[in-house]
């Protein structure tokens, strides 16, 4: 039986244009197709975890506008409890403007709207979601005071706190001390440590530096190089699965969710990182954030198909 999971985080409607490349500053380019797709790091992680078999509640905020309804419907369709997603009368639902290049890379601008008004009081109102022992997933598209409050509330109840520090920003020491597992990507690691992550030795040193700042377990997601797990026992790389990349949007969210679901089911760190790698890889094979997030069955079939291969 899986432990309960709570995600405190953002919901965005993603406005996605595909283009030959990501435009430079001052450059206008002619794109290809355009899509309106559900996203937001918090909602993505909640949907991903639910599709992978987690029992998930999301705490968040949307506006009272046309984007809110399909976002909530998508959560419900995935099996996410959105009782604690409130409607804000004064702010619009979050929007992300995304360009996806032919090579699958992206650039994203988020207009936070209601996400920026998620308060510690909203989290306190949802305290009933933190029953038993579970896993809390946090990111940084909602105010850091709210994130810190949620981490505190979860920790005193014996929950495992996972922080995906995205988008990158300096982290208060108080928050870092409340985190069990920190999951940054390369950019976030460089910003948080001021250290390079060019090769694996540098990445390992940066991960250990992050551990010194508070979180006992650090996982650096390194894109096509895989994930580097750093604990008190040292650092180990888990290579990425090779797939045909269409769009990397939400690959990090899928990684965090895959990792967290494995932990919620009592899995050990190496298995959880492997699930994260598989979920992240699968998410890159389709366009969009939530449409690309794999189901439990897809994940299990993918892992079974890689048994005994060099990807294993
Ligand atoms: O991590 C991907 C997400 O970042 C997108 O869905 C977008 O909404 C932004 O929050």
């Amino acid at each position: 039986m899986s432990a309960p999971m709570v995600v405190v985080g953002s919901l965005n409607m993603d406005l996605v244009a595909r283009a030959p490349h990501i435009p430079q500053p001052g450059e206008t380019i002619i794109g290809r197709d355009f899509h309106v797709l559900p996203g937001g790091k918090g909602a993505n992680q909640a949907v991903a975890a639910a599709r992978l078999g987690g029992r998930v509640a999301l705490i968040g905020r949307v506006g009272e506008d046309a984007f809110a309804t399909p976002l909530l419907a998508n959560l419900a369709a995935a099996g996410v409890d959105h009782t604690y997603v409130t409607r804000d009368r004064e702010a619009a639902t979050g929007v992300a403007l995304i360009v996806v290049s032919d090579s699958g890379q992206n650039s994203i601008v988020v207009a936070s709207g209601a996400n920026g008004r998620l308060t510690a009081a909203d989290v306190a109102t949802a305290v009933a979601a933190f029953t038993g022992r579970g896993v809390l997933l946090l990111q940084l598209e909602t105010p850091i005071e709210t994130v810190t409050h949620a981490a505190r509330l979860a920790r005193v109840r014996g929950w495992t706190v996972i922080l995906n520090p995205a988008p990158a920003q300096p982290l208060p020491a108080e928050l870092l001390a409340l985190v069990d597992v920190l999951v940054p990507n390369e950019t976030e690691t460089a910003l948080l440590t001021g250290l390079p992550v060019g090769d694996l030795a540098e990445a390992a040193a940066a991960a250990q530096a992050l551990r010194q700042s508070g979180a006992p377990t650090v996982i650096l997601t390194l894109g096509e190089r895989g994930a580097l797990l750093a604990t008190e026992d040292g650092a180990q790389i888990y290579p990425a699965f090779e797939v045909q990349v269409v769009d990397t949007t939400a690959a990090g969210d899928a990684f965090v969710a895959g990792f967290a679901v494995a932990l919620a089911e009592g899995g050990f760190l190496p298995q959880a990182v492997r699930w994260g790698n598989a979920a992240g890889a699968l998410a890159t094979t389709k366009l969009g954030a939530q449409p690309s997030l794999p189901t439990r069955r897809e994940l299990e079939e993918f892992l079974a198909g890689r048994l005994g291969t060099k990807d294993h």
Side-chain angles (χ1 to χ4, degrees):
M1 177 73 164
S2 177
M5 302 173 74
V6 171
V7 182
V8 176
S10 59
L11 302 92
N12 296 328
M13 191 56 89
D14 290 352
L15 309 184
V16 184
R18 285 207 278 197
H21 63 268
I22 309 284
Q24 300 296 312
E27 185 184 18
T28 300
I29 59 174
I30 302 297
R32 305 192 200 286
D33 43 353
F34 172 71
H35 306 263
V36 180
L37 300 170
K41 294 183 193 302
N44 294 347
Q45 293 181 16
V47 166
R51 285 197 188 144
L52 293 172
R55 286 191 291 136
V56 191
L58 174 64
I59 301 172
R61 238 175 214 260
V62 290
E64 288 195 332
D65 50 32
F67 284 155
T69 306
L71 287 179
L72 296 178
N74 205 58
L75 291 173
V80 175
D81 175 0
H82 60 77
T83 313
Y84 306 111
V85 178
T86 49
R87 296 251 188 169
D88 193 312
R89 289 188 166 185
E90 286 160 34
T93 298
V95 170
L97 305 177
I98 303 182
V99 179
V100 178
S101 73
D102 284 350
S103 65
Q105 301 307 305
N106 63 48
S107 75
I108 304 180
V109 176
V110 173
S112 295
N115 296 306
R117 289 159 53 92
L118 186 71
T119 63
D122 291 328
V123 176
T125 302
V127 69
F130 293 85
T131 42
R133 285 279 171 92
V135 178
L136 173 67
L137 295 184
L138 299 166
Q139 327 75 35
L140 299 177
E141 284 186 338
T142 53
I144 199 115
E145 304 76 32
T146 308
V147 170
T148 305
H149 182 80
R152 206 182 296 120
L153 192 144
R155 270 301 283 269
V156 296
R157 287 166 174 75
W159 280 47
T160 300
V161 177
I162 300 175
L163 173 63
N164 172 217
Q169 63 170 278
L171 297 177
E174 185 197 356
L175 175 57
L176 272 167
L178 294 164
V179 171
D180 295 292
V181 187
L182 186 69
V183 191
N185 68 12
E186 289 157 271
T187 318
E188 291 142 14
T189 301
L191 183 133
L192 291 173
T193 63
L195 295 171
V197 282
D199 59 29
L200 289 181
E202 287 178 342
Q208 294 299 354
L210 282 174
R211 286 191 62 251
Q212 303 304 323
S213 62
T217 299
V218 172
I219 302 169
L220 303 195
T221 53
L222 300 169
E224 60 198 17
R225 291 189 290 166
L228 186 122
L229 169 65
T231 65
E232 61 182 356
D233 298 329
Q236 170 148 15
I237 185 79
Y238 292 80
F241 294 100
E242 277 181 32
V243 290
Q244 196 71 42
V245 175
V246 173
D247 175 11
T248 56
T249 307
D253 299 325
F255 178 96
V256 171
F259 173 82
V261 169
L263 280 196
E265 293 186 7
F268 293 110
L269 285 173
Q271 183 219 340
V273 175
R274 194 159 173 271
W275 275 36
N277 271 344
L282 283 166
T284 69
T285 62
K286 293 181 191 159
L287 181 72
Q290 287 170 36
S292 75
L293 300 169
T295 62
R296 176 66 169 248
R297 188 170 171 177
E298 287 168 335
L299 182 102
E300 287 178 346
E301 286 179 357
F302 178 80
L303 285 170
R306 300 293 167 128
L307 269 182
T309 69
K310 70 177 172 53
D311 275 356
H312 176 230

